[in-house]
Short mmCIF file of all heavy atoms in Angstrom, two decimals:
data_model
loop_
_atom_site.label_atom_id
_atom_site.label_comp_id
_atom_site.label_asym_id
_atom_site.label_seq_id
_atom_site.Cartn_x
_atom_site.Cartn_y
_atom_site.Cartn_z
N MET A 1 66.38 89.55 43.37
CA MET A 1 67.14 90.73 42.96
C MET A 1 68.23 91.04 43.98
O MET A 1 67.98 91.10 45.18
CB MET A 1 66.18 91.92 42.86
CG MET A 1 66.81 93.10 42.15
SD MET A 1 65.50 94.31 41.81
CE MET A 1 66.39 95.80 42.17
N ALA A 2 69.41 91.22 43.49
CA ALA A 2 70.54 91.47 44.38
C ALA A 2 70.47 92.88 44.96
O ALA A 2 70.18 93.83 44.24
CB ALA A 2 71.85 91.29 43.63
N GLU A 3 70.72 92.97 46.21
CA GLU A 3 70.69 94.27 46.85
C GLU A 3 72.01 95.01 46.61
O GLU A 3 73.08 94.42 46.70
CB GLU A 3 70.47 94.11 48.35
CG GLU A 3 69.99 95.38 48.99
CD GLU A 3 69.05 95.10 50.17
OE1 GLU A 3 68.10 94.33 50.01
OE2 GLU A 3 69.32 95.65 51.23
N ILE A 4 71.88 96.27 46.25
CA ILE A 4 73.07 97.08 46.03
C ILE A 4 73.63 97.53 47.37
O ILE A 4 72.90 97.99 48.23
CB ILE A 4 72.73 98.31 45.16
CG1 ILE A 4 72.34 97.84 43.76
CG2 ILE A 4 73.91 99.27 45.10
CD1 ILE A 4 71.86 98.95 42.86
N GLU A 5 74.91 97.39 47.49
CA GLU A 5 75.53 97.76 48.76
C GLU A 5 75.74 99.27 48.83
O GLU A 5 76.21 99.88 47.87
CB GLU A 5 76.87 97.04 48.91
CG GLU A 5 77.28 96.90 50.35
CD GLU A 5 78.44 95.94 50.51
OE1 GLU A 5 78.41 94.88 49.88
OE2 GLU A 5 79.37 96.30 51.24
N LEU A 6 75.37 99.84 49.94
CA LEU A 6 75.55 101.28 50.12
C LEU A 6 77.01 101.58 50.44
O LEU A 6 77.63 100.89 51.23
CB LEU A 6 74.70 101.77 51.28
CG LEU A 6 73.21 101.90 51.06
CD1 LEU A 6 72.54 102.23 52.39
CD2 LEU A 6 72.90 102.97 50.06
N LYS A 7 77.49 102.63 49.82
CA LYS A 7 78.83 103.08 50.17
C LYS A 7 78.80 103.71 51.56
O LYS A 7 77.77 104.23 51.98
CB LYS A 7 79.32 104.10 49.15
CG LYS A 7 79.61 103.47 47.82
CD LYS A 7 80.38 104.39 46.92
CE LYS A 7 80.71 103.63 45.64
NZ LYS A 7 81.43 104.47 44.68
N PRO A 8 79.93 103.70 52.24
CA PRO A 8 79.95 104.35 53.54
C PRO A 8 79.74 105.85 53.42
O PRO A 8 79.92 106.42 52.35
CB PRO A 8 81.35 104.03 54.08
CG PRO A 8 82.13 103.48 52.96
CD PRO A 8 81.17 103.02 51.92
N CYS A 9 79.35 106.46 54.51
CA CYS A 9 79.11 107.89 54.55
C CYS A 9 80.33 108.65 54.03
O CYS A 9 81.45 108.40 54.45
CB CYS A 9 78.82 108.29 56.00
SG CYS A 9 78.77 110.06 56.27
N PRO A 10 80.12 109.59 53.08
CA PRO A 10 81.24 110.33 52.51
C PRO A 10 81.88 111.31 53.49
O PRO A 10 82.97 111.80 53.25
CB PRO A 10 80.63 111.07 51.32
CG PRO A 10 79.18 111.15 51.62
CD PRO A 10 78.84 109.94 52.43
N PHE A 11 81.21 111.58 54.59
CA PHE A 11 81.73 112.57 55.54
C PHE A 11 82.52 111.94 56.67
O PHE A 11 83.52 112.47 57.11
CB PHE A 11 80.59 113.41 56.09
CG PHE A 11 79.91 114.20 55.02
CD1 PHE A 11 78.67 113.81 54.54
CD2 PHE A 11 80.53 115.30 54.46
CE1 PHE A 11 78.04 114.52 53.53
CE2 PHE A 11 79.92 116.02 53.44
CZ PHE A 11 78.68 115.63 52.97
N CYS A 12 82.05 110.81 57.16
CA CYS A 12 82.74 110.22 58.30
C CYS A 12 83.14 108.77 58.07
O CYS A 12 83.82 108.17 58.88
CB CYS A 12 81.87 110.32 59.56
SG CYS A 12 80.49 109.17 59.54
N GLY A 13 82.72 108.20 56.95
CA GLY A 13 83.07 106.82 56.66
C GLY A 13 82.25 105.80 57.42
O GLY A 13 82.53 104.61 57.41
N GLY A 14 81.21 106.29 58.10
CA GLY A 14 80.36 105.41 58.89
C GLY A 14 79.39 104.62 58.02
O GLY A 14 79.27 104.84 56.82
N LYS A 15 78.69 103.72 58.67
CA LYS A 15 77.76 102.86 57.96
C LYS A 15 76.44 103.58 57.69
O LYS A 15 75.86 104.20 58.57
CB LYS A 15 77.51 101.61 58.81
CG LYS A 15 76.63 100.57 58.14
CD LYS A 15 76.56 99.35 59.04
CE LYS A 15 75.34 98.48 58.75
NZ LYS A 15 75.20 98.10 57.34
N ALA A 16 75.97 103.49 56.47
CA ALA A 16 74.71 104.11 56.09
C ALA A 16 73.65 103.05 55.88
O ALA A 16 73.95 101.90 55.55
CB ALA A 16 74.90 104.92 54.81
N GLU A 17 72.40 103.46 56.10
CA GLU A 17 71.32 102.50 55.92
C GLU A 17 70.12 103.15 55.24
O GLU A 17 69.83 104.33 55.43
CB GLU A 17 70.88 101.92 57.26
CG GLU A 17 70.12 100.63 57.07
CD GLU A 17 69.33 100.22 58.30
OE1 GLU A 17 68.83 101.11 59.01
OE2 GLU A 17 69.19 99.02 58.54
N VAL A 18 69.41 102.35 54.46
CA VAL A 18 68.17 102.80 53.83
C VAL A 18 67.02 102.56 54.79
O VAL A 18 66.85 101.46 55.31
CB VAL A 18 67.91 102.04 52.51
CG1 VAL A 18 66.59 102.49 51.89
CG2 VAL A 18 69.03 102.24 51.53
N ILE A 19 66.24 103.60 55.03
CA ILE A 19 65.07 103.47 55.89
C ILE A 19 63.84 103.79 55.05
O ILE A 19 63.68 104.89 54.54
CB ILE A 19 65.16 104.43 57.10
CG1 ILE A 19 66.43 104.16 57.89
CG2 ILE A 19 63.93 104.29 57.99
CD1 ILE A 19 66.97 105.39 58.58
N LEU A 20 63.00 102.81 54.94
CA LEU A 20 61.84 102.93 54.07
C LEU A 20 60.58 103.16 54.90
O LEU A 20 60.29 102.40 55.81
CB LEU A 20 61.72 101.62 53.30
CG LEU A 20 61.02 101.60 51.96
CD1 LEU A 20 61.73 102.52 50.98
CD2 LEU A 20 61.04 100.17 51.42
N THR A 21 59.85 104.23 54.58
CA THR A 21 58.59 104.49 55.26
C THR A 21 57.48 104.49 54.24
O THR A 21 57.36 105.41 53.43
CB THR A 21 58.63 105.86 55.97
OG1 THR A 21 59.88 106.00 56.62
CG2 THR A 21 57.53 105.98 57.00
N GLY A 22 56.71 103.46 54.24
CA GLY A 22 55.66 103.34 53.25
C GLY A 22 54.35 103.94 53.73
O GLY A 22 54.10 104.04 54.93
N ASN A 23 53.53 104.36 52.79
CA ASN A 23 52.20 104.83 53.11
C ASN A 23 51.22 104.11 52.20
O ASN A 23 51.12 104.41 51.02
CB ASN A 23 52.13 106.35 52.91
CG ASN A 23 50.80 106.90 53.36
OD1 ASN A 23 49.76 106.25 53.29
ND2 ASN A 23 50.82 108.13 53.83
N SER A 24 50.52 103.16 52.78
CA SER A 24 49.66 102.31 51.96
C SER A 24 48.41 103.04 51.48
O SER A 24 47.75 102.61 50.56
CB SER A 24 49.27 101.06 52.74
OG SER A 24 48.65 101.43 53.94
N ILE A 25 48.09 104.17 52.11
CA ILE A 25 46.91 104.92 51.71
C ILE A 25 47.18 105.72 50.43
O ILE A 25 46.43 105.67 49.47
CB ILE A 25 46.43 105.84 52.84
CG1 ILE A 25 46.01 104.97 54.04
CG2 ILE A 25 45.26 106.71 52.39
CD1 ILE A 25 45.93 105.73 55.34
N THR A 26 48.27 106.44 50.43
CA THR A 26 48.58 107.24 49.25
C THR A 26 49.39 106.46 48.22
O THR A 26 49.45 106.84 47.06
CB THR A 26 49.40 108.49 49.64
OG1 THR A 26 50.64 108.05 50.20
CG2 THR A 26 48.67 109.34 50.64
N GLY A 27 50.02 105.39 48.65
CA GLY A 27 50.87 104.64 47.75
C GLY A 27 52.26 105.23 47.60
O GLY A 27 53.09 104.72 46.87
N TYR A 28 52.49 106.32 48.31
CA TYR A 28 53.80 106.94 48.23
C TYR A 28 54.71 106.43 49.35
O TYR A 28 54.23 106.06 50.41
CB TYR A 28 53.70 108.46 48.36
CG TYR A 28 53.20 109.10 47.10
CD1 TYR A 28 51.88 109.49 46.99
CD2 TYR A 28 54.06 109.32 46.04
CE1 TYR A 28 51.40 110.09 45.83
CE2 TYR A 28 53.60 109.92 44.87
CZ TYR A 28 52.28 110.30 44.77
OH TYR A 28 51.82 110.88 43.64
N SER A 29 55.97 106.47 49.07
CA SER A 29 56.93 106.08 50.08
C SER A 29 57.92 107.19 50.33
O SER A 29 58.24 107.96 49.44
CB SER A 29 57.71 104.84 49.62
OG SER A 29 56.83 103.77 49.44
N LYS A 30 58.37 107.25 51.55
CA LYS A 30 59.46 108.15 51.89
C LYS A 30 60.68 107.29 52.18
O LYS A 30 60.58 106.29 52.88
CB LYS A 30 59.09 108.98 53.12
CG LYS A 30 60.13 109.99 53.51
CD LYS A 30 59.56 110.95 54.53
CE LYS A 30 59.81 110.50 55.96
NZ LYS A 30 61.20 110.56 56.38
N VAL A 31 61.77 107.66 51.60
CA VAL A 31 62.97 106.86 51.77
C VAL A 31 64.08 107.74 52.33
O VAL A 31 64.39 108.79 51.77
CB VAL A 31 63.44 106.26 50.43
CG1 VAL A 31 64.49 105.20 50.67
CG2 VAL A 31 62.28 105.69 49.66
N ASP A 32 64.65 107.33 53.40
CA ASP A 32 65.79 108.02 53.97
C ASP A 32 67.03 107.16 53.82
O ASP A 32 66.97 105.95 54.00
CB ASP A 32 65.60 108.27 55.47
CG ASP A 32 64.52 109.28 55.75
OD1 ASP A 32 64.65 110.41 55.26
OD2 ASP A 32 63.55 108.94 56.44
N VAL A 33 68.13 107.81 53.52
CA VAL A 33 69.42 107.15 53.68
C VAL A 33 70.13 107.93 54.76
O VAL A 33 70.29 109.15 54.66
CB VAL A 33 70.26 107.16 52.39
CG1 VAL A 33 71.58 106.43 52.62
CG2 VAL A 33 69.51 106.50 51.26
N ARG A 34 70.47 107.25 55.83
CA ARG A 34 71.03 107.96 56.97
C ARG A 34 72.29 107.27 57.46
O ARG A 34 72.39 106.05 57.45
CB ARG A 34 69.99 108.02 58.10
CG ARG A 34 70.24 109.14 59.07
CD ARG A 34 68.95 109.62 59.70
NE ARG A 34 68.03 110.20 58.72
CZ ARG A 34 68.12 111.44 58.25
NH1 ARG A 34 69.05 112.25 58.67
NH2 ARG A 34 67.26 111.89 57.37
N CYS A 35 73.22 108.12 57.87
CA CYS A 35 74.46 107.60 58.43
C CYS A 35 74.28 107.40 59.93
O CYS A 35 73.81 108.31 60.62
CB CYS A 35 75.59 108.59 58.16
SG CYS A 35 77.09 108.19 59.06
N TYR A 36 74.61 106.22 60.40
CA TYR A 36 74.50 105.93 61.83
C TYR A 36 75.44 106.78 62.66
O TYR A 36 75.18 107.12 63.80
CB TYR A 36 74.87 104.46 62.09
CG TYR A 36 73.77 103.50 61.80
CD1 TYR A 36 73.98 102.41 60.96
CD2 TYR A 36 72.53 103.67 62.38
CE1 TYR A 36 72.98 101.51 60.70
CE2 TYR A 36 71.51 102.77 62.12
CZ TYR A 36 71.74 101.69 61.28
OH TYR A 36 70.75 100.82 61.03
N CYS A 37 76.56 107.10 62.03
CA CYS A 37 77.67 107.68 62.78
C CYS A 37 77.50 109.19 63.01
O CYS A 37 77.47 109.65 64.13
CB CYS A 37 78.95 107.39 62.03
SG CYS A 37 80.36 107.26 63.08
N CYS A 38 77.33 109.96 61.94
CA CYS A 38 77.26 111.42 62.09
C CYS A 38 75.84 111.95 61.85
O CYS A 38 75.58 113.13 62.02
CB CYS A 38 78.24 112.11 61.14
SG CYS A 38 77.82 111.94 59.41
N GLY A 39 74.93 111.08 61.43
CA GLY A 39 73.54 111.49 61.26
C GLY A 39 73.26 112.18 59.94
O GLY A 39 72.14 112.60 59.67
N MET A 40 74.28 112.32 59.09
CA MET A 40 74.08 112.91 57.79
C MET A 40 73.13 112.03 56.98
O MET A 40 73.22 110.81 57.03
CB MET A 40 75.44 113.01 57.08
CG MET A 40 75.49 114.01 55.95
SD MET A 40 74.65 113.51 54.43
CE MET A 40 75.77 112.27 53.79
N GLY A 41 72.22 112.66 56.29
CA GLY A 41 71.31 111.84 55.52
C GLY A 41 70.63 112.59 54.41
O GLY A 41 70.74 113.80 54.28
N ARG A 42 69.97 111.83 53.60
CA ARG A 42 69.17 112.39 52.52
C ARG A 42 67.80 111.75 52.56
O ARG A 42 67.66 110.59 52.91
CB ARG A 42 69.79 112.05 51.17
CG ARG A 42 71.09 112.73 50.91
CD ARG A 42 71.17 113.12 49.47
NE ARG A 42 70.71 114.48 49.30
CZ ARG A 42 70.69 115.13 48.13
NH1 ARG A 42 71.07 114.52 47.05
NH2 ARG A 42 70.28 116.37 48.06
N THR A 43 66.79 112.51 52.17
CA THR A 43 65.45 111.98 52.09
C THR A 43 64.98 112.03 50.65
O THR A 43 65.11 113.05 49.98
CB THR A 43 64.50 112.79 52.99
OG1 THR A 43 64.99 112.76 54.32
CG2 THR A 43 63.10 112.20 52.96
N TYR A 44 64.47 110.94 50.19
CA TYR A 44 63.91 110.87 48.85
C TYR A 44 62.42 110.61 49.01
O TYR A 44 62.02 109.69 49.72
CB TYR A 44 64.56 109.75 48.05
CG TYR A 44 66.06 109.85 47.99
CD1 TYR A 44 66.85 109.22 48.94
CD2 TYR A 44 66.69 110.58 46.99
CE1 TYR A 44 68.23 109.31 48.89
CE2 TYR A 44 68.06 110.68 46.94
CZ TYR A 44 68.83 110.04 47.88
OH TYR A 44 70.19 110.13 47.84
N LYS A 45 61.62 111.42 48.36
CA LYS A 45 60.18 111.31 48.58
C LYS A 45 59.43 110.92 47.32
O LYS A 45 59.93 111.03 46.22
CB LYS A 45 59.64 112.65 49.08
CG LYS A 45 59.75 112.78 50.59
CD LYS A 45 59.14 114.06 51.05
CE LYS A 45 60.22 115.02 51.53
NZ LYS A 45 59.71 116.30 51.97
N LYS A 46 58.19 110.56 47.53
CA LYS A 46 57.25 110.35 46.45
C LYS A 46 57.74 109.39 45.38
O LYS A 46 57.88 109.71 44.22
CB LYS A 46 56.90 111.70 45.81
CG LYS A 46 56.12 112.57 46.76
CD LYS A 46 55.60 113.79 46.05
CE LYS A 46 54.73 114.61 46.99
NZ LYS A 46 54.22 115.81 46.36
N ILE A 47 58.07 108.22 45.82
CA ILE A 47 58.38 107.17 44.87
C ILE A 47 57.16 106.26 44.82
O ILE A 47 56.82 105.61 45.79
CB ILE A 47 59.64 106.40 45.31
CG1 ILE A 47 60.82 107.37 45.38
CG2 ILE A 47 59.93 105.27 44.34
CD1 ILE A 47 62.07 106.78 45.97
N LYS A 48 56.49 106.29 43.72
CA LYS A 48 55.21 105.61 43.65
C LYS A 48 55.28 104.33 42.82
O LYS A 48 55.96 104.28 41.81
CB LYS A 48 54.16 106.54 43.05
CG LYS A 48 52.74 106.07 43.33
CD LYS A 48 51.72 107.03 42.77
CE LYS A 48 50.33 106.59 43.21
NZ LYS A 48 49.29 107.43 42.63
N GLY A 49 54.53 103.36 43.28
CA GLY A 49 54.32 102.17 42.48
C GLY A 49 55.55 101.29 42.28
O GLY A 49 55.62 100.54 41.33
N MET A 50 56.52 101.42 43.16
CA MET A 50 57.70 100.58 43.04
C MET A 50 57.75 99.60 44.19
O MET A 50 57.33 99.92 45.30
CB MET A 50 58.98 101.42 43.09
CG MET A 50 59.23 102.25 41.87
SD MET A 50 60.82 103.04 42.07
CE MET A 50 60.71 104.34 40.87
N SER A 51 58.29 98.46 43.93
CA SER A 51 58.50 97.51 45.01
C SER A 51 59.60 98.04 45.92
O SER A 51 60.43 98.86 45.50
CB SER A 51 58.90 96.14 44.46
OG SER A 51 60.22 96.19 43.99
N SER A 52 59.60 97.58 47.16
CA SER A 52 60.60 98.11 48.08
C SER A 52 62.01 97.74 47.63
O SER A 52 62.96 98.48 47.86
CB SER A 52 60.34 97.63 49.50
OG SER A 52 60.11 96.25 49.52
N ASP A 53 62.17 96.62 46.95
CA ASP A 53 63.48 96.25 46.41
C ASP A 53 63.96 97.27 45.39
O ASP A 53 65.12 97.68 45.39
CB ASP A 53 63.40 94.88 45.74
CG ASP A 53 63.54 93.74 46.74
OD1 ASP A 53 63.83 94.04 47.92
OD2 ASP A 53 63.35 92.58 46.35
N THR A 54 63.04 97.66 44.50
CA THR A 54 63.39 98.63 43.46
C THR A 54 63.75 99.96 44.09
O THR A 54 64.73 100.60 43.71
CB THR A 54 62.21 98.82 42.49
OG1 THR A 54 61.77 97.54 42.05
CG2 THR A 54 62.60 99.66 41.30
N ILE A 55 62.95 100.39 45.06
CA ILE A 55 63.22 101.65 45.73
C ILE A 55 64.60 101.62 46.39
O ILE A 55 65.40 102.52 46.23
CB ILE A 55 62.14 101.96 46.79
CG1 ILE A 55 60.80 102.23 46.09
CG2 ILE A 55 62.55 103.15 47.64
CD1 ILE A 55 59.61 102.30 47.02
N ARG A 56 64.86 100.54 47.08
CA ARG A 56 66.15 100.42 47.77
C ARG A 56 67.33 100.52 46.81
O ARG A 56 68.30 101.21 47.07
CB ARG A 56 66.23 99.09 48.51
CG ARG A 56 65.54 99.14 49.86
CD ARG A 56 65.54 97.76 50.49
NE ARG A 56 64.64 97.71 51.63
CZ ARG A 56 64.97 98.15 52.85
NH1 ARG A 56 66.17 98.63 53.08
NH2 ARG A 56 64.09 98.12 53.82
N SER A 57 67.21 99.83 45.68
CA SER A 57 68.35 99.84 44.76
C SER A 57 68.48 101.20 44.07
O SER A 57 69.60 101.67 43.84
CB SER A 57 68.26 98.70 43.75
OG SER A 57 67.13 98.86 42.94
N GLN A 58 67.35 101.86 43.80
CA GLN A 58 67.43 103.18 43.18
C GLN A 58 68.06 104.19 44.12
O GLN A 58 68.90 105.00 43.72
CB GLN A 58 66.03 103.66 42.81
CG GLN A 58 65.41 102.81 41.71
CD GLN A 58 64.83 103.66 40.60
OE1 GLN A 58 64.52 104.82 40.81
NE2 GLN A 58 64.70 103.08 39.43
N VAL A 59 67.64 104.14 45.36
CA VAL A 59 68.17 105.08 46.34
C VAL A 59 69.65 104.78 46.61
O VAL A 59 70.46 105.70 46.75
CB VAL A 59 67.32 105.02 47.63
CG1 VAL A 59 68.02 105.72 48.77
CG2 VAL A 59 65.97 105.65 47.39
N ALA A 60 69.99 103.51 46.63
CA ALA A 60 71.39 103.13 46.84
C ALA A 60 72.26 103.68 45.73
O ALA A 60 73.36 104.19 45.98
CB ALA A 60 71.52 101.61 46.92
N LYS A 61 71.75 103.63 44.50
CA LYS A 61 72.52 104.17 43.37
C LYS A 61 72.74 105.67 43.54
O LYS A 61 73.84 106.17 43.32
CB LYS A 61 71.77 103.93 42.05
CG LYS A 61 72.04 102.56 41.45
CD LYS A 61 71.33 102.46 40.10
CE LYS A 61 70.98 101.00 39.81
NZ LYS A 61 69.92 100.88 38.80
N LYS A 62 71.68 106.38 43.91
CA LYS A 62 71.79 107.83 44.11
C LYS A 62 72.78 108.16 45.22
O LYS A 62 73.62 109.05 45.10
CB LYS A 62 70.43 108.43 44.45
CG LYS A 62 69.52 108.49 43.25
CD LYS A 62 68.21 109.15 43.63
CE LYS A 62 67.25 109.08 42.45
NZ LYS A 62 65.93 109.55 42.74
N TRP A 63 72.66 107.43 46.30
CA TRP A 63 73.54 107.65 47.45
C TRP A 63 74.99 107.39 47.04
O TRP A 63 75.89 108.17 47.37
CB TRP A 63 73.14 106.73 48.59
CG TRP A 63 74.11 106.69 49.70
CD1 TRP A 63 75.14 105.80 49.87
CD2 TRP A 63 74.19 107.59 50.81
NE1 TRP A 63 75.84 106.09 51.01
CE2 TRP A 63 75.26 107.18 51.61
CE3 TRP A 63 73.42 108.70 51.21
CZ2 TRP A 63 75.62 107.84 52.79
CZ3 TRP A 63 73.79 109.36 52.39
CH2 TRP A 63 74.86 108.93 53.14
N ASN A 64 75.23 106.33 46.35
CA ASN A 64 76.58 105.96 45.96
C ASN A 64 77.19 107.00 45.02
O ASN A 64 78.37 107.31 45.11
CB ASN A 64 76.60 104.58 45.31
CG ASN A 64 76.34 103.48 46.33
OD1 ASN A 64 76.37 103.72 47.52
ND2 ASN A 64 76.09 102.28 45.84
N ARG A 65 76.36 107.54 44.14
CA ARG A 65 76.83 108.57 43.23
C ARG A 65 77.24 109.81 44.02
O ARG A 65 78.25 110.45 43.77
CB ARG A 65 75.72 108.93 42.22
CG ARG A 65 76.27 109.35 40.88
CD ARG A 65 75.15 109.59 39.90
NE ARG A 65 74.34 108.41 39.68
CZ ARG A 65 73.01 108.44 39.52
NH1 ARG A 65 72.36 109.56 39.56
NH2 ARG A 65 72.35 107.32 39.31
N ARG A 66 76.44 110.14 45.01
CA ARG A 66 76.73 111.30 45.85
C ARG A 66 77.98 111.07 46.68
O ARG A 66 78.80 111.96 46.84
CB ARG A 66 75.53 111.57 46.77
CG ARG A 66 75.72 112.73 47.71
CD ARG A 66 74.49 112.91 48.58
NE ARG A 66 74.83 113.64 49.78
CZ ARG A 66 74.95 114.95 49.87
NH1 ARG A 66 74.77 115.68 48.80
NH2 ARG A 66 75.26 115.53 50.99
N ALA A 67 78.11 109.86 47.18
CA ALA A 67 79.30 109.54 47.97
C ALA A 67 80.55 109.72 47.13
O ALA A 67 81.57 110.22 47.61
CB ALA A 67 79.20 108.11 48.50
N ASP A 68 80.47 109.33 45.86
CA ASP A 68 81.60 109.53 44.94
C ASP A 68 81.88 111.01 44.73
O ASP A 68 83.02 111.44 44.76
CB ASP A 68 81.29 108.89 43.58
CG ASP A 68 81.48 107.38 43.62
OD1 ASP A 68 82.15 106.90 44.56
OD2 ASP A 68 80.96 106.71 42.73
N ASP A 69 80.82 111.79 44.52
CA ASP A 69 80.97 113.23 44.28
C ASP A 69 81.66 113.90 45.45
O ASP A 69 82.56 114.70 45.27
CB ASP A 69 79.60 113.88 44.10
CG ASP A 69 79.02 113.56 42.73
OD1 ASP A 69 79.75 113.01 41.90
OD2 ASP A 69 77.83 113.87 42.51
N VAL A 70 81.22 113.58 46.64
CA VAL A 70 81.76 114.24 47.83
C VAL A 70 83.21 113.88 48.04
O VAL A 70 84.04 114.74 48.32
CB VAL A 70 80.91 113.89 49.08
CG1 VAL A 70 81.57 114.44 50.33
CG2 VAL A 70 79.52 114.47 48.93
N SER A 71 83.57 112.61 47.85
CA SER A 71 84.97 112.25 48.06
C SER A 71 85.85 112.86 46.98
O SER A 71 87.02 113.16 47.21
CB SER A 71 85.15 110.73 48.14
OG SER A 71 84.41 110.09 47.16
N GLU A 72 85.27 113.10 45.81
CA GLU A 72 85.98 113.80 44.74
C GLU A 72 86.31 115.23 45.18
O GLU A 72 87.42 115.70 45.00
CB GLU A 72 85.08 113.82 43.49
CG GLU A 72 85.80 114.13 42.20
CD GLU A 72 86.37 112.87 41.55
OE1 GLU A 72 86.10 111.75 42.01
OE2 GLU A 72 87.10 113.03 40.59
N GLU A 73 85.31 115.91 45.75
CA GLU A 73 85.49 117.29 46.21
C GLU A 73 86.52 117.37 47.32
O GLU A 73 87.32 118.30 47.39
CB GLU A 73 84.16 117.85 46.74
CG GLU A 73 83.21 118.25 45.64
CD GLU A 73 81.77 118.41 46.15
OE1 GLU A 73 81.60 118.64 47.35
OE2 GLU A 73 80.85 118.30 45.33
N ASN A 74 86.50 116.40 48.19
CA ASN A 74 87.38 116.43 49.35
C ASN A 74 88.85 116.19 48.99
O ASN A 74 89.73 116.44 49.78
CB ASN A 74 86.95 115.38 50.37
CG ASN A 74 85.65 115.78 51.06
OD1 ASN A 74 85.23 116.94 50.95
ND2 ASN A 74 85.02 114.85 51.74
N ARG A 75 89.05 115.68 47.77
CA ARG A 75 90.41 115.34 47.38
C ARG A 75 91.25 116.59 47.13
O ARG A 75 92.45 116.57 47.22
CB ARG A 75 90.36 114.46 46.12
CG ARG A 75 91.47 113.44 46.08
CD ARG A 75 91.19 112.41 44.99
NE ARG A 75 90.09 111.50 45.36
CZ ARG A 75 89.34 110.86 44.46
NH1 ARG A 75 89.54 111.04 43.18
NH2 ARG A 75 88.39 110.06 44.86
N ASN A 76 90.60 117.71 46.78
CA ASN A 76 91.34 118.92 46.42
C ASN A 76 91.79 119.73 47.64
O ASN A 76 91.13 119.83 48.60
CB ASN A 76 90.49 119.82 45.52
CG ASN A 76 90.20 119.13 44.20
OD1 ASN A 76 91.05 118.41 43.70
ND2 ASN A 76 89.01 119.31 43.70
ZN1 ZN W 101 78.58 109.92 58.57
#
């Protein structure tokens, strides 16, 4: 499965990364997308029963959508 590329941080243009924290006991995962540069990030919780590839691509989609929204707002 091809990995979706994360858009750069909408605030500073820095590189963002997906950080996956799994919990094998509960089966839940915590997923952070965090910008290395300014520390801006989002946390997505309670994603159950998905492979880490699926989680990564889902979170990447959400992040990219948000990155689009923010740059849209900044244009005005
Ligand atoms: Zn940033």
